[in-house]
Amino acid sequence: ETAAPFATFENLESQVRSYCRKFPVVFHHARGAELYSEDGRRFIDFFAGAGTLNYGHNNPFIKRRLLDYLNSDGVVHGLDMYTVAKRQFLTAFNETVLQPRGLDFKVQFCGPTGTDAVEAALKLARKATGRAGVIAFSGAYHGMSRGSLAVTGSRRARRAGGVSGGDVTFVPYENGPRGSFDSIALIEHMIDDPSSGVEVPAAVIVEPMQMEGGVYPASADWLRRLRRLTEQHGILLIFDEIQAGCGRTGTFFCFEHSEVVPDVVTVSKSIGGYGLPLSMSLFRRDLDVWEPGEHTGTFRGNQLAFVAATAACELWGDPKFRTDLAVASRRLERFRTELTSLDSSLTVRGRGMALGIDLGQVGGPERAERLQRYAFDHGLIVELCGRHDEVVKVLPPIAIDIVRLNRGLELLRDGLLAA
Ligand code: PMP
């Protein structure tokens, strides 16, 4: 029984604002795909910091590099200066991520959150095109600052932030909760018809797989059509890879499944390797219209995050790491089939190491919450997503070992039967 949340958190519970009321224990340490509470309980982590801990908690390879760096008195805060850690990260990122994919992007360190990478991408698009409008998608999540919130498709969050329509036009995602919709034809219509009231926008911003919106992967064909359309009209295509990137879907970038190359990419969360803050906006070289000082920040380019991110790039470059990832992804794929054969009314979506168990039509948010509670009570952390928190998001570290992965999935299956 977990009726007395945070009995051990003294009287500080009422002082902090957070959603951790769903997990009423005090966490103490964490290793790999497991979190341990102060009172000695062990939890498998299928939340992974909302996609920030792709390499697991306290990954020993990355930890060693960090400890060595700290022991050498390496620069910890260097603002925007050139440092050895920054050079090493850029070299590793070029060699293991950009060059093998034929991508020639400029890198702008933002920071240090994903939100700021989105801000930078939107500002750049407006400056580079001289236009103001942006097209975004229902269900999108891009951040909580007023610029990123303006392209986030949540009425509630936008109202709370005092953000109104402004220059942003929302259209449905390819396959949202209300079924498929040809939003590309709609964008085309809005742009081509001078009476539509919509100006040609500076950019289209899209998650190649909507994560907070409910785990909706976009098809390759849809992303290709979006690319063609944006190219024809000189509109910049921004892919937000903050949650679906860094190996989550089996490839480094989620957009690789479509073979489309966007103009701007936002990256954060797991790029920091160890849960350390790092965020970047990557963009086509000819789009670099920034003047000095136009987008800065005290904490951009965290040196410890550079060290961790360099080690993470090395992990990514290790063929064994990617073989293990493929095995774990196949296991999740099989789990999808297992669930739908258990209950054919269930909808389970996803790609690679991300799954969404959609209970919208079969019990709704209440059942999702019951499942989350069942999981917690049995030692598994999962988060909810979707428009009404009706989707259980399965997001283990991508480096999870198969034993813990199986155990977590078993708990989810039992929980579905019980909830
Ligand atoms: N974009 C996407 C796709 C995200 O999932 C998030 C965070 N959930 C953000 C942007 C914002 O990142 P941050 O919370 O680090 O500001």
Side-chain angles (χ1 to χ4, degrees), residues 113-115 118 141-143 207 212 240 242-243 268-269:
T113 64
T115 297
V118 171
Y141 186 94
H142 297 294
E207 295 162 84
E212 296 303 324
D240 182 342
I242 288 169
Q243 191 164 157
S268 186
K269 293 201 190 257

